[in-house]
């Protein structure tokens, strides 16, 4: 639990430097369903998954708001922070501690932790002409890795002096509008949507020796830039069957990070912001849904870090009389070494006046997440 507080402090410090807001995951409903959304999102959450869904709504929907959505996920499967704390506290003047320190250093080799934090708001105006959802989003994603001296000729003390921690973080705020239109073409039901948006992107880098690290200092070495970007999407459906495609961040950019150095630890590289294409398919019915999302390409993020992703997501929802929603899901990083993640959540909509969604994700006892959002439709 203490590592959760440390990782949360890192994420909060980054987000505080971007927009005073707080989820890389922006929607508790979608996160409860494994992160799916390319065919199953609502018109309010469409900007975060597939802009084409902005035009898909019920006949009695006139307006809606998502205010706010919040989420936190941390992953310390390798117990990097625990091991560092234990090593720093060891008294190496006691020969009995040298063997333990050496084993901890070996355990630290190639260890990594990460944390994601953020939030979103959205205001939707569905209509038969051009449906629109105005949205804002802020999130941070931070990666922490150990740098361990593996020279077999070094003493334990020398290995400790030559080892350290490096970390990188990205904070993104964006604001835009999703515009979508539903068509019947040659008897087929389709919709198309786009989301022009402005992004402010901050990157941070940090390097420190083992005995001097304090991750809350990560914000001291950062830089930011503003850019225009665009998302787009399409949806085909026939009855409950849906197939969707979304393209996020169509304008790519390599964002250089500042150099950070301490002892033998150095961080310098770039964050790759590249388009991500997702294909979704599923059955979305009045009182139940089942869908699958698949990222078509591997997403590379920080240069020099083992943080690549290509996700497969599966999710389901059961709607009980428009008052209670039960959700579950699963997600897997096809190019990562981490364990698979299971998710679950519930939604409450008393008398249809508003909806409160909560969700949780579980990878193992050192990798979990929690999400919540409030929304209302009129």
């Amino acid at each position: 639990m203490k590592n959760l507080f440390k990782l949360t402090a890192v994420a909060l410090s980054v987000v505080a430097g971007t927009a005073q807001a707080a989820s890389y995951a922006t929607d508790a409903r979608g996160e409860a369903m494994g992160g799916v959304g390319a065919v199953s999102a609502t018109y309010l959450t469409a900007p975060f998954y597939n802009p084409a869904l902005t035009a898909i709504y019920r006949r009695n929907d006139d307006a809606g708001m998502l205010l706010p959505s919040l989420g936190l996920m941390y992953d310390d499967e390798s117990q990097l922070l625990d091991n560092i704390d234990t090593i720093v506290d060891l008294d190496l003047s006691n020969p009995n501690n040298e063997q333990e320190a050496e084993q901890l250093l070996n355990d630290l080799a190639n260890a990594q932790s990460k944390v994601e934090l953020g939030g979103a708001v959205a205001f939707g105006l569905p209509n038969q002409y051009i449906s629109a959802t105005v949205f804002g989003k802020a999130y941070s994603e931070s990666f922490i890795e150990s740098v361990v001296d593996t020279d077999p000729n070094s003493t334990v003390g020398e290995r400790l002096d030559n080892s350290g921690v490096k970390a990188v973080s990205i904070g993104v705020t964006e604001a835009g509008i999703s515009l979508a239109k539903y068509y019947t073409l040659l008897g087929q039901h389709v919709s198309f949507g786009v989301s022009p948006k402005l992004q402010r992107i901050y990157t941070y880098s940090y390097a420190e020796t083992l005995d001097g690290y304090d991750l809350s200092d990560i914000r001291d070495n950062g830089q930011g830039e503003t850019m225009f970007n665009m998302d787009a999407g399409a949806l085909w459906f026939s009855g409950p069957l849906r197939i969707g495609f979304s393209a996020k961040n169509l304008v790519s950019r390599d964002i250089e990070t500042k150099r950070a150095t301490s002892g033998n630890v150095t961080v310098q590289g770039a964050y790759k912001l590249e388009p991500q294409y997702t294909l979704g398919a599923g059955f979305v019915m009045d009182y139940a849904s089942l869908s699958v999302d698949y990222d078509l390409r591997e997403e590379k993020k920080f240069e020099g870090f083992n943080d690549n992703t290509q996700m497969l997501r599966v999710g389901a929802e059961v709607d009980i009389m428009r008052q209670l929603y039960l959700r579950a899901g699963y997600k897997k990083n096809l190019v990562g070494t981490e364990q698979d993640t299971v998710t679950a959540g519930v939604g409450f909509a008393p008398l249809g006046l508003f909806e409160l969604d909560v969700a949780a994700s579980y990878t193992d006892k050192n990798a979990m997440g929690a999400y919540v959002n409030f929304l209302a439709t009129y």
Side-chain angles (χ1 to χ4, degrees), residues 195-338:
S195 296
K197 59 188 181 182
L198 283 177
Q199 293 178 316
R200 179 68 176 171
I201 301 175
Y202 299 82
T203 57
Y204 303 87
S205 54
Y206 175 82
E208 187 53 86
T209 57
L210 287 180
D211 60 354
Y213 95 104
D214 182 352
L215 291 176
S216 62
D217 293 336
I218 192 172
R219 234 187 79 196
D220 294 343
N221 192 39
Q223 59 187 5
E225 62 179 85
T226 301
M227 63 180 290
F228 171 83
N229 220 315
M230 176 82 73
D231 303 334
L235 180 74
W236 170 89
F237 61 97
S238 178
L241 176 62
R242 294 183 180 183
I243 297 176
F245 172 80
S246 69
K248 305 297 291 293
N249 295 319
L250 289 172
V251 180
S252 60
R253 182 76 62 88
D254 283 356
I255 303 167
E256 294 292 329
T257 60
K258 282 190 173 182
R259 182 185 179 90
T261 301
S262 178
N264 294 328
V265 185
T266 298
V267 178
Q268 185 175 31
Y271 182 89
K272 292 183 177 295
L273 183 68
E274 296 179 325
Q276 180 56 272
Y277 307 106
T278 300
L279 182 65
F283 293 91
V284 180
M285 299 162 280
D286 279 346
Y287 291 97
S289 70
L290 174 65
S291 60
V292 178
D293 285 5
Y294 171 66
D295 291 344
L296 297 178
R297 62 179 300 276
E298 181 179 348
E299 185 177 6
K300 301 176 182 179
K301 299 178 182 177
F302 279 102
E303 182 180 304
F305 280 74
N306 182 26
D307 56 4
N308 294 5
T309 60
Q310 185 177 7
M311 301 302 297
L312 173 67
R313 309 174 183 89
V314 181
E317 177 184 58
V318 175
D319 177 346
I320 302 176
M321 304 299 292
R322 302 277 190 264
Q323 304 294 306
L324 177 66
Y325 302 88
L326 306 179
R327 300 160 182 144
Y330 162 89
K331 54 185 173 182
K332 178 182 182 63
N333 184 3
L334 301 176
V335 297
T337 58
E338 65 266 30

Side-chain angles (χ1 to χ4, degrees), residues 33-44:
M33 298 164 63
V36 298
V39 299
S40 60
T42 68
Y43 72 90
L44 269 177

Side-chain angles (χ1 to χ4, degrees), residues 131-153:
S131 289
T133 298
V134 178
F135 65 93
K137 175 180 174 181
Y139 67 85
S140 73
E141 188 173 18
S142 303
F143 297 91
I144 305 104
E145 282 189 359
S146 59
V147 179
V148 176
D149 179 2
T150 57
D151 186 347
N153 298 317

